[in-house]
């Protein structure tokens, strides 16, 4: 069968609240050396490393001691002293996880192996495809590495309050997080344990087209696995505030308490959950609210009522929405075409007459209902808005930081927002002042008080007062360094201009690098050498390849062999090696996805990212790998087939 190889560069990241990454410590370096790759986690009550070797994950404790050998396809982060594991999983083409907007993908998943409670994903930048973990068998391990729930289940999920839900052959059951069995694996559906410590279960239901269970009978179990009620209800809802809405015949609803007894008789056409002491109910096709004694706080007069959230109820009448208090008194008129629940800032986004705005919990318009669109608020508390086809920016108080008068506007970055007017770009600051006029055909982002801009195909730099720092006359410009030197390109050649915009290095080089201690690597007439900040040659142009200096060493290739030179051009390590890695070299082993055509499955092989900063140099000579010190003294003889083997030898010597 035909096969193809796809390459994707992926870093790793734990996408879970409360988990933090740790800068490389001596323990991290040691763990990396032993396994090839590791991820450090800290949830506050536990620290550990996920380690990778031979396409499998294992676990080390915070001191680097192995507690789980590399034997699992996935190990989810530890929480409450246990971690979910998987053996035999495959990577299958998938949509993005629901919590990720598709617009976020290019910037988010190009460098993420995303591991969260609801799944795991990888993203291939080359194909634009997302692959999620699927299949295999799931289990649970404790902090000591013991499998407290064996890896034999089709699904293992945290169900809340330290309870674990398992699935086997389409049936569900519960364990505690120590591996003790709480219920038989007999349910066709099993819910989560919320604040009340009670979960809803189903027997006899079947999955519908969306995969949700419908039909069958519902019941409830507590956190000890005891059935509060047998599965006898045709319809039911989760417990909230000590009561649950149930219907035995599917038509008449009542409320039961945590003992399974009716607290309110089944006399309602429909019912919701209790929040803020109120629950939605229906009679004669209309909706209202009752309290826990069954008193009708709000008579059934609305077309629909939503559960109370943040102390307010959202109601609908004649295709319009409004809000009421638990005592039934209105907070707003029922005249919004759309209304959201109140967010953590105590605001609800509403729409009236085709215009959007925000109200507070008192019903007062915090942000006037006058905008055609209000985009989501950014982390800095600002949001893009549109009125009559023009864009601006507001804050959460409703203040128009940037009046809506631009053809387009981007979010603030480094204190400035890029704006477009008449197909020309400029910038405004956080006071709404236009600091760079909208007169440029293209522009980058403002950094360090300056921005690269383009007019008629030519590039230069201006500052935040609109003054030219680098004349707009070049075919390309690079990043300005700390000495205010800017690489510029004229035609096909590169040079540098100084802080006054004058050519300090004439544009005659094929390529020129950054200055390190007054010296920059450059390419001229097909060869590499080094120049000073006046463009004068310091080390002649004779190398096939040359790199920046680091710690007084620069890697070069001469006549097909690598070595290291000093700032005078003298060889510290002679050019006699097939390859060398040391100092600030970063070796990225690429992830290989092997796709079998006709199948959506991919095999992910994770390779490491190494930075050699431990004072040794890994080299390849005569087809074999070894290691040396900075002076060329041999630490590991070149007799190994891979860098990994050399790293392991070095680890064994220092552990």
């Amino acid at each position: 069968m035909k096969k193809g190889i796809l390459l994707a560069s992926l870093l790793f990241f734990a996408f879970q609240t409360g988990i933090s990454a740790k800068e490389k410590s001596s323990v991290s370096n040691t763990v990396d050396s032993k396994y090839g790759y590791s991820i450090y986690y800290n949830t506050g009550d536990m620290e550990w490393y996920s380690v990778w070797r031979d396409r499998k994950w294992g676990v080390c404790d915070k001191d680097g001691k192995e507690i789980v050998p590399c034997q699992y396809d996935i190990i989810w982060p530890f929480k409450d002293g246990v971690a979910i594991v998987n053996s035999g999983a495959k990577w299958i083409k998938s949509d993005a996880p629901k919590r990720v907007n598709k617009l976020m993908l290019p910037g988010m998943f190009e460098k993420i192996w995303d591991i969260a409670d609801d799944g795991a994903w990888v993203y291939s930048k080359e194909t634009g495809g997302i692959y999620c973990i699927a299949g295999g068998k799931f289990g649970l391990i404790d902090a000591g590495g013991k499998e407290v729930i064996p890896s034999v289940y089709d699904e293992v999920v945290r169900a809340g309050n330290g309870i674990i839900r398992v699935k086997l052959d389409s049936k569900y059951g519960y364990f505690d997080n120590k591996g003790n069995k709480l219920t038989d694996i007999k349910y066709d559906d099993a819910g989560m344990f919320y604040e009340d410590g009670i979960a809803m279960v189903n027997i006899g239901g079947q999955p519908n087209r969306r995969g949700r269970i419908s039909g069958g009978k519902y019941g409830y179990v507590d956190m000890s696995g005891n059935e509060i009620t047998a599965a006898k209800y045709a319809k039911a809802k989760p417990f909230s505030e000590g009561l649950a809405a149930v219907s035995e015949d599917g038509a008449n609803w009542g409320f039961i308490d945590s003992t399974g007894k009716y607290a309110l008789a089944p006399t309602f056409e429909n019912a919701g959950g209790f929040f803020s002491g109120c629950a939605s109910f229906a009679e004669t096709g209309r909706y209202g609210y009752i309290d826990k004694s069954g008193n009708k706080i709000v008579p059934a007069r609305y077309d629909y009522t939503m559960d109370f959230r943040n102390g307010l109820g959202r109601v609908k009448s004649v295709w319009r929405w409004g809000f009421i208090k638990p005592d039934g008194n209105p907070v707003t008129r029922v005249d919004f075409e759309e209304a959201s629940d109140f967010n953590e800032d105590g605001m609800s986004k509403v729409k009236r007459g085709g215009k959007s705005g925000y109200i507070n919990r008192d019903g007062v318009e915090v942000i006037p209902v006058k905008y055609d669109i209000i985009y989501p608020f950014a982390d800095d508390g600002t949001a893009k808005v549109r009125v009559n086809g023009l864009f601006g920016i507001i804050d959460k108080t409703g203040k128009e930081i940037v009046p809506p008068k631009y053809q387009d506007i981007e979010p603030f970055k480094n204190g400035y927002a890029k704006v477009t007017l008449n197909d020309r770009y400029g910038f405004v600051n956080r006071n709404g002042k236009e600091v760079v006029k909208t007169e440029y055909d293209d522009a980058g982002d403002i950094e360090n008080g300056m921005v690269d801009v383009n007019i008629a195909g030519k590039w230069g730099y201006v500052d935040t007062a609109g003054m030219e720092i680098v004349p707009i006359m070049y075919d390309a410009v690079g990043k300005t360094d700390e000495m205010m030197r800017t690489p510029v390109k004229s035609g096909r050649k590169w040079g540098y201009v100084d802080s006054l915009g004058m050519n300090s290095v004439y544009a005659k080089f094929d390529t020129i690098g950054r200055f390190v201690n007054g010296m920059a690597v450059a390419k001229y007439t097909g060869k590499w050498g080094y120049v000073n900040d006046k463009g004068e040659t310091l080390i002649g142009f004779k190398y096939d390849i040359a790199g920046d200096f680091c710690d007084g060493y620069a890697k070069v290739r001469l006549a097909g062999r690598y070595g290291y030179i000093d700032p005078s051009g003298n060889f510290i390590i002679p050019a006699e090696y097939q390859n060398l890695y040391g100092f600030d070299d970063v070796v990225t082993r690429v992830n290989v996805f092997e796709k079998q055509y006709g199948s959506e499955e991919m095999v992910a092989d994770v390779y490491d990212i190494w930075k050699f900063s431990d004072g040794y140099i890994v080299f390849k000579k005569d087809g074999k790998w070894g290691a040396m010190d900075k002076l060329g003294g041999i630490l590991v003889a070149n007799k190994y087939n891979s860098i990994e083997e050399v790293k392991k030898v070095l680890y064994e010597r220092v552990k």
Side-chain angles (χ1 to χ4, degrees), residues 457-592:
K458 296 297 182 181
W459 289 89
Y461 273 91
V462 298
D463 65 15
T464 51
M467 294 183 60
E468 277 192 11
I469 304 299
V470 175
I472 305 170
M473 58 181 287
Y474 298 101
D475 294 303
V477 292
K479 294 290 185 183
T480 301
D481 68 15
E482 66 278 0
M483 300 296 291
M484 295 301 293
R485 294 172 296 208
T486 306
V488 294
K489 184 180 183 183
S490 291
R492 296 184 178 181
K493 302 297 182 180
W494 285 88
Y496 267 88
V497 296
D498 61 20
S499 59
L500 299 176
M502 304 293 291
N503 284 55
S504 57
V505 177
Y506 182 68
K508 65 178 182 179
F509 301 102
D510 302 325
T511 302
I512 192 165
R514 62 187 179 92
F515 282 95
V516 178
N517 297 324
M519 181 182 293
V521 63
K523 187 179 183 182
Y524 182 63
T525 63
K527 292 291 184 179
W528 292 82
Y530 296 83
V531 298
N532 64 18
D533 56 9
K534 295 180 180 179
E536 299 167 340
T537 301
L538 298 178
I539 300 175
F541 293 91
K542 58 185 177 182
Y543 304 107
D544 304 326
I545 294 176
D548 291 328
F549 274 90
C550 179
D551 294 336
Y553 288 69
K555 185 165 70 175
V556 297
R557 190 177 77 185
L558 186 63
R561 289 290 185 266
Y562 289 90
Y564 279 96
I565 60 172
D566 65 18
S568 298
N570 300 314
F571 275 100
I572 304 171
I573 306 294
E576 58 184 38
Y577 299 95
Q578 292 168 277
N579 219 329
L580 290 169
Y581 292 114
F583 310 104
D584 65 343
D585 278 321
V586 176
V587 181
T588 306
R589 297 187 300 167
V590 226
N591 293 283
V592 180

Side-chain angles (χ1 to χ4, degrees), residues 584-629:
D584 65 343
D585 278 321
V586 176
V587 181
T588 306
R589 297 187 300 167
V590 226
N591 293 283
V592 180
F593 287 118
E594 185 174 314
K595 180 178 179 183
Q596 211 164 17
Y597 287 96
S599 168
E600 293 295 288
E601 178 188 344
M602 294 188 106
V603 179
D605 192 5
V606 182
Y607 280 65
D608 196 357
I609 296 170
W610 294 327
K611 183 170 182 178
F612 291 90
S613 57
D614 296 329
Y616 59 82
I617 301 168
V618 173
F619 67 90
K620 187 177 185 181
K621 189 175 182 180
D622 300 327
K624 298 291 184 179
W625 289 93
M628 67 176 80
D629 61 26

Side-chain angles (χ1 to χ4, degrees), residues 140-458:
L140 193 76
I141 60 174
D142 64 18
K146 178 185 176 183
E147 264 197 8
V148 293
I149 297 179
S151 298
V152 297
Y153 295 99
D154 301 320
E155 184 181 289
V156 171
V157 175
R158 298 180 190 275
N161 292 301
I163 306 299
I164 306 296
R165 186 184 70 194
V166 301
K167 181 181 181 181
L168 185 64
D169 298 331
S170 300
K171 299 291 184 181
Y172 294 89
Y174 294 103
F175 286 78
D176 65 21
N177 61 11
K178 297 185 184 302
N180 298 311
K181 187 177 181 180
L182 301 179
T183 71
D184 291 332
I185 303 171
K186 64 179 182 179
Y187 300 109
D188 291 295
D189 197 13
M192 305 293 287
F193 286 88
Y194 296 108
E195 292 181 2
D196 292 81
I198 298 172
M200 190 164 65
V201 294
N202 177 285
I203 292 179
Q206 297 293 324
N208 59 23
R209 292 181 179 179
R210 295 183 178 181
R212 295 181 178 179
I213 297 296
S214 62
K217 297 291 185 178
Y218 292 91
Y220 297 89
V221 298
D222 65 19
M223 291 172 56
S224 297
N226 300 315
E227 288 191 347
I228 293 173
T229 69
K232 63 180 182 179
Y233 301 106
K235 294 181 180 179
K237 296 182 180 179
F239 268 82
S240 59
E241 297 186 0
L243 298 176
V246 296
S247 174
E248 294 187 41
D249 58 7
N252 298 292
W253 288 78
F255 290 85
I256 60 171
D257 62 21
S258 59
T259 68
K261 296 180 180 179
Y262 274 106
L264 296 176
T267 59
F268 306 106
E269 292 176 8
N270 205 340
F274 272 96
F275 297 92
S276 300
C278 305
S280 174
F281 79 98
E283 65 180 10
T284 63
R286 308 285 283 175
Y287 287 81
Y289 291 97
I290 57 172
D291 64 18
K292 291 184 178 180
S293 298
N295 300 313
K296 296 175 182 177
I297 302 171
V298 178
R301 62 189 180 205
Y302 295 105
D303 294 333
Y304 199 72
T305 53
M306 302 291 289
D307 290 334
F308 267 74
R309 300 294 182 189
N310 297 314
L312 296 177
R314 186 154 47 109
V315 298
K316 184 179 182 182
S317 183
V318 196
W319 300 102
R320 293 292 186 268
W321 292 91
F323 291 91
I324 63 173
K325 297 178 181 179
D327 60 8
N329 289 319
V331 176
T332 69
R333 295 173 60 185
V334 185
D335 64 352
F336 297 116
E337 294 149 28
E338 295 178 9
S340 70
D341 285 326
F342 284 87
N343 60 25
E344 63 276 7
D345 295 312
M347 298 197 304
S348 166
K349 187 176 182 180
V350 295
K351 189 173 184 179
R352 182 174 54 217
K355 302 293 184 179
S356 295
Y358 279 85
I359 61 172
N360 64 18
R361 289 163 51 84
D362 295 322
V364 177
E365 287 187 14
V366 178
I367 297 174
V369 183
K370 67 175 187 178
Y371 298 103
D372 298 326
I373 298 176
I374 301 177
Y375 292 83
F377 278 92
D379 291 339
D380 64 357
T382 63
K384 177 178 175 179
V385 294
R386 189 183 79 183
V387 177
N388 299 325
L390 297 176
F391 294 89
I393 291 179
I394 62 172
D395 65 18
K396 290 184 178 180
T397 69
K399 178 183 177 182
E400 288 185 348
I401 300 173
V402 182
K405 63 179 183 180
Y406 292 101
Q407 180 182 345
D408 199 6
I409 191 167
E410 296 182 10
F412 282 105
K413 185 176 182 180
N414 299 323
Y416 300 91
K418 186 188 295 186
V419 295
T420 310
L421 189 62
N422 299 323
D423 295 326
R424 296 290 186 270
Y425 294 93
F427 289 86
V428 296
N429 63 18
R430 286 189 173 274
N431 295 321
K433 180 182 178 182
E434 195 171 283
V435 294
V436 177
K437 293 184 181 299
T438 52
E439 58 186 20
Y440 300 101
D441 296 325
D442 201 357
D445 293 315
I446 292 180
E447 294 181 19
N448 300 317
M450 55 192 298
V451 59
D452 52 320
V453 293
N454 179 292
I455 294 179
K458 296 297 182 181

